Each structure stands twice: as structure tokens, then as C-alpha cells.
Amino acid sequence: FLHQYFHKVFHVAMQARTGLMCMVYTKALELSHTARMDDATSTGSIVNMMQVDVQKLLDFIPYASNLLWSSPLQVLICVALLWRLVGVSSLAGLSTILAILPINMWAMKELEKVQEANMEFKDQRVRAVSELLSGIRVLKLFSWERPAMDKVMQVRDKEMHALRRFGILGALQGVLWSSTTAFVALATFGTYTSLGNRLSLEIALPVMSLITILQFPLAVLPWMFISSISFRIALGRLQNFLL
């Protein structure tokens, strides 16, 4: 079922990507010379929107349909079934999930700030490279290659710093969510045994099965959050250009 689902949604996403690229290209052809002088509608910004922003929308579409609501629903159903098996001990696992959520919310806000800065630096870098290529004859005539290259590398260093921080924060959030399943199992079994209950196979195996089922929605949620951050930023940039 999941294979068919992803096949369908990625097919729709590719169609949406192609349509958006055509819309951006058509709008770019209609821009006046004065409009092209603006930083938001420069050649570098337009190329960045067609290559990066449209791709960010494609990355989010598979998560924007069923997984957006089904993943939290799966988590709630698994917690309810855990309650039937281990009773109040399931609250320990739920508390573990709730304790991790604020950390992920903080990471999401930081990722959004870094992504906005990264997109700005990316525009500056593409704009600088376009200006360098358009004036390559003048640069060669006056031997200005080194200052022009230094200007591009300064912007590139800022972009790389933002990308590195985005990758580190995204990796930390992914590791935290991936290890949530182990934390939930440890908290649930620890609380269950500390209350004087005997942990038998009749309890341990179903509980472990439910916790294993939790792995997929808990793995999808962080990627969905990260994709939603990039989606919001890319959608805002495309709306400002097209509307």
C-alpha cells in the first residue's frame, strides 16, 4: 500500500513541479528591464526559484496529504493500545514523547531561521556569479579575476556555514526522533516493572510490536516538519514573484 501511495504522490508532485517551473519561466519572460534590476526578480533569484524553491515544494507534497494526519493518528492508536496492555505505565511512554516535543519545536524554529538565511545567501551567490559571467570581458581586461572570485567566495562561505548549521540541526532532530522509540520502550517497561508487575512474554511482545509500529510515524514526523519549513519559505518566495 505504501509503495502505491508514494508512487501516486510523487507522480503528482512531478507534474506540479513541471507546472510551477513553466509558470516561473513564463513570468520571467514578461519582466521588464526595470523589474530585472530588482534583487527579488534578478536572474540569480529566478534561477534559484526554478532549481531550489520548486524542488522544496516537490519534497513536501508526499507528506502533505495522508501522512500529515495519519502519522499522529497512528501514534494515538498505539498509545491507546499500550494503555490496554500495561495500563498506567503507558503514560510514562507518552510523557517521554511529550518531553521531546519542545526540543523539536525549538529545533524547528532554528531550522526555519537558518533556511531563510540560506536562501538569501544562495540568491546573493547566484547573482554574483551571473554578474561575473556577464562582465567577464571587463574582468579579463583589467585583471579583476581575483577580487571578483573573492566576492563570490565570501558569499559562498556564508552559504556553506548556513548549510552546515542546517544539516547539524536537522541531523540532531532526526537522531532525537529516531531514538524516541527506544526511550519510550525504556520508560514503559521501567515503569511497568517498578510498579511490581511481572514482565512476561505475553506483555513484552505485543508492547514491543506496538512500539515498533511507532517507528514509522515517529520517523516521518521530523522529515515532515523539516520539509514544511522549507515549503513555507519556498512558497512565500514563489508567491511574491508570481502574484
Side-chain angles (χ1 to χ4, degrees):
F1 176 76
L2 283 177
H3 292 289
Q4 291 294 325
Y5 165 75
F6 280 112
H7 173 73
K8 295 294 184 181
V9 294
F10 274 108
H11 181 71
V12 174
M14 291 299 296
Q15 292 178 333
R17 177 176 178 268
T18 304
L20 284 172
M21 291 182 66
C22 293
M23 291 174 64
V24 173
Y25 184 74
T26 303
K27 181 65 178 293
L29 294 177
E30 298 174 353
L31 292 176
S32 62
H33 179 72
T34 304
R36 293 180 184 275
M37 300 301 294
D38 189 5
D39 291 341
T41 55
S42 62
T43 303
S45 299
I46 294 173
V47 172
N48 198 22
M49 279 187 284
M50 294 182 65
Q51 293 182 349
V52 180
D53 293 340
V54 175
Q55 183 63 37
K56 297 298 182 183
L57 300 182
L58 172 64
D59 294 338
F60 180 72
I61 288 178
Y63 302 109
S65 51
N66 291 329
L67 295 180
L68 193 63
W69 60 268
S70 64
S71 296
L73 181 62
Q74 290 181 45
V75 174
L76 292 177
I77 292 176
C78 288
V79 171
L81 294 176
L82 286 172
W83 175 271
R84 293 187 59 184
L85 291 171
V86 295
V88 71
S89 301
S90 62
L91 296 179
L94 181 61
S95 300
T96 304
I97 297 176
L98 295 178
I100 295 175
L101 282 177
I103 303 175
N104 281 275
M105 294 299 294
W106 170 82
M108 284 176 56
K109 293 180 180 179
E110 291 297 319
L111 285 170
E112 184 174 5
K113 295 178 183 178
V114 174
Q115 182 68 8
E116 289 177 352
N118 180 38
M119 298 303 292
E120 181 179 354
F121 293 143
K122 192 182 294 293
D123 287 344
Q124 295 177 8
R125 191 251 307 166
V126 175
R127 191 181 310 119
V129 173
S130 299
E131 293 175 354
L132 187 150
L133 294 176
S134 62
I136 191 65
R137 292 184 178 179
V138 178
L139 293 176
K140 288 291 186 180
L141 180 62
F142 292 97
S143 299
W144 288 345
E145 297 93 338
R146 177 59 60 180
M149 187 175 65
D150 292 340
K151 180 182 177 181
V152 175
M153 291 306 298
Q154 288 177 1
V155 180
R156 179 61 177 169
D157 290 339
K158 295 179 181 179
E159 182 186 1
M160 290 299 296
H161 177 73
L163 283 172
R164 189 178 298 109
R165 189 177 181 191
F166 185 85
I168 292 174
L169 288 174
L172 289 176
Q173 188 185 37
V175 169
L176 185 61
W177 271 106
S178 299
S179 58
T180 300
T181 304
F183 292 148
V184 171
L186 181 62
T188 303
F189 289 141
T191 305
Y192 186 75
T193 55
S194 63
L195 293 176
N197 299 310
R198 180 175 176 273
L199 186 61
S200 61
L201 291 178
E202 297 177 354
I203 297 296
L205 293 180
V207 170
M208 286 303 301
S209 298
L210 291 173
I211 294 176
T212 302
I213 294 174
L214 279 173
Q215 287 182 349
F216 179 75
L218 291 178
V220 168
L221 285 174
W223 295 112
M224 183 174 62
F225 291 149
I226 295 174
S227 297
S228 66
I229 294 172
S230 302
F231 172 81
R232 285 198 305 167
I233 297 173
L235 183 62
R237 288 161 55 90
L238 288 172
Q239 285 179 337
N240 293 333
F241 177 75
L242 295 174
L243 299 180

